[in-house]
Amino acid sequence: MNEIGIIGLDLAKHVFQIHGASPDGRVVLRKKLGRGRMLEFFAKLPSCLVAMEACASAHYWGREIGKLGHEVRLINPSYVKPFVKRQKNDAADAEAIAEAASRPTMRFVPIKSAEKQASSMTFKVRDLLVRQRTQTINALRGHLMEYGLVVAQGMQNVARLRRLIETHPDLPEIARSLSFGLLQHIDSLTDKINALERDLRARARQDEVASRLTTIPGIGAICATAMEALAPSAAAFSKGRDFAAWIGLTPKQNSSGGKERLGKTSKMGQRDLRRLLIIGATTVVRWARRRGAPAGTWLARMLLTKPPKLIAVALANKLARIAWALMARGGVYEAPAPGPA
């Protein structure tokens, strides 16, 4: 046991696989453990490096094992896959985790605190409720379409749906009663979503970093608190481009022979932050198209030659870089002076 320098831990619900290796890479230990014996095993083990994939429950185990004096590192599962030899099983996965963690160039995922995970849970619950509300509205629209009642998509048209259900004479009473039940469900979901959003806005006013992020055009209270809860420390990135790449707002590369070929946006990052930033950027672009952007600005030049959706994604990339600068260096957003038109 004293020879173990690194442990690859393959997480599961009940049975965990452990692969122990010496500092020079020799296999020292292969072992299966039940959930109840995990902490007891690591409490008796001399301090070593414990690596595991950043998957469900990884942050919990990372915190608990770290309290026992071990150095814990989480790895993106996509970085572990190339190290799996032939057949895939728990033992091979644990060995691949240990091998990947021993690479000097490997990138690791910071372990989240319980409080930060609770903050991120707020956004996950809100997204779930919004999806359920959208699903319910579309189900109600689909049912009413069978009776010739056609209403456009969107939460703003729920009031029209309600009027049609109340006044349409040819709607059977059973269908009317069920439709009112769906409307009540929509109202209940809306109340819960509004309560979560009020909590997020209050948190944005109280949090010093989030309140500074809201000074950026296109970043509101929800996006600012999401960035504070979901993103790692700004110190983990050397520059704003790295932060934008972590979110997934940089183009794919297919370069060879000294020729750079850039493709579509990679989408290989934090999808919740990416979606919120693109939504905020889309709002800025829509407003600029209606009211006009200041002459000589980057946005004004882009509006002359590029399609709106492309501009929105490019602007989201800029917003991510600006947000990183504010988180890393402090201060509030200051609009750049317009250049020559």
Side-chain angles (χ1 to χ4, degrees):
M1 297 287 279
N2 292 328
E3 296 181 1
I4 296 177
I6 183 170
I7 282 184
L9 176 59
D10 185 49
L11 299 176
K13 292 180 181 177
H14 304 293
V15 180
F16 300 76
Q17 181 71 42
I18 290 174
H19 178 91
S22 63
D24 60 1
R26 289 183 298 105
V27 178
V28 177
L29 174 70
R30 286 195 178 101
K31 188 180 184 67
K32 284 187 177 181
L33 280 179
R35 185 181 186 88
R37 298 177 56 199
M38 277 278 291
L39 295 180
E40 178 186 353
F41 170 81
F42 282 103
K44 297 177 180 178
L45 194 69
S47 297
C48 62
L49 173 62
V50 181
M52 60 189 85
E53 290 181 329
C55 57
S57 76
H59 293 278
Y60 164 75
W61 287 114
R63 292 192 299 267
E64 295 301 314
I65 295 173
K67 292 176 184 177
L68 300 175
H70 301 286
E71 181 184 357
V72 182
R73 293 181 180 177
L74 305 185
I75 310 175
N76 188 313
S78 63
Y79 295 161
V80 175
K81 189 175 181 180
F83 294 92
V84 177
K85 298 173 183 175
R86 291 188 178 270
Q87 306 298 330
K88 183 191 182 305
N89 51 58
D90 292 346
D93 288 346
E95 182 179 358
I97 292 169
E99 181 68 24
S102 66
R103 300 297 91 192
T105 58
M106 182 55 62
R107 288 182 249 171
F108 300 100
V109 178
I111 298 175
K112 294 181 180 179
S113 66
E115 292 74 20
K116 197 156 189 176
Q117 280 193 297
S119 297
S120 64
M121 184 177 172
T122 306
F123 300 95
K124 301 293 184 181
V125 172
R126 178 183 174 274
D127 284 347
L128 174 63
L129 295 177
V130 170
R131 289 197 303 271
Q132 288 179 344
R133 184 175 66 178
T134 302
Q135 182 184 30
T136 307
I137 293 172
N138 289 336
L140 182 56
R141 290 175 55 245
H143 289 310
L144 294 180
M145 194 177 295
E146 300 296 332
Y147 301 99
L149 305 177
V150 180
V151 178
Q153 295 180 357
M155 183 64 192
Q156 67 275 14
N157 294 308
V158 171
R160 184 163 177 241
L161 274 174
R162 193 184 305 272
R163 288 195 301 271
L164 290 174
I165 293 168
E166 292 172 346
T167 60
H168 190 65
D170 297 331
L171 191 65
E173 285 305 315
I174 295 177
R176 197 186 308 274
S177 175
L178 292 172
S179 297
F180 279 131
L182 291 176
L183 285 173
Q184 290 176 357
H185 185 50
I186 293 169
D187 292 339
S188 174
L189 291 171
T190 300
D191 291 340
K192 294 175 182 177
I193 292 168
N194 292 338
L196 287 174
E197 290 181 351
R198 284 194 298 270
D199 177 65
L200 291 173
R201 291 190 178 94
R203 198 186 306 171
R205 290 192 295 270
Q206 296 168 2
D207 187 89
E208 185 266 338
V209 175
S211 63
R212 289 192 290 106
L213 289 176
T214 56
T215 61
I216 304 173
I219 295 183
I222 293 176
C223 186
T225 49
M227 199 168 292
E228 175 68 12
L230 300 175
S233 170
F237 306 96
S238 60
K239 52 185 177 294
R241 189 188 184 284
D242 293 343
F243 182 61
W246 177 82
I247 294 175
L249 286 169
T250 50
K252 288 182 180 179
Q253 284 201 40
N254 187 22
S255 305
S256 179
K259 296 181 179 178
E260 292 190 1
R261 298 183 182 88
L262 301 181
K264 297 180 179 179
T265 305
S266 68
K267 299 184 182 179
M268 295 177 65
Q270 223 297 335
R271 61 182 181 181
D272 297 308
L273 284 180
R274 182 172 62 249
R275 175 171 50 81
L276 289 170
L277 285 170
I278 291 176
I279 290 172
T282 302
T283 303
V284 174
V285 172
R286 185 185 299 119
W287 183 263
R289 293 182 71 199
R290 291 177 180 174
R291 302 298 179 91
T297 61
W298 173 88
L299 184 56
R301 295 194 299 271
M302 291 287 283
L303 286 170
L304 294 175
T305 57
K306 303 296 183 182
K309 192 169 182 180
L310 186 149
I311 300 173
V313 176
L315 180 58
N317 183 296
K318 290 175 70 71
L319 293 179
R321 297 185 186 208
I322 295 170
W324 174 85
L326 264 60
M327 290 189 292
R329 302 167 187 164
V332 297
Y333 175 77
E334 296 180 6

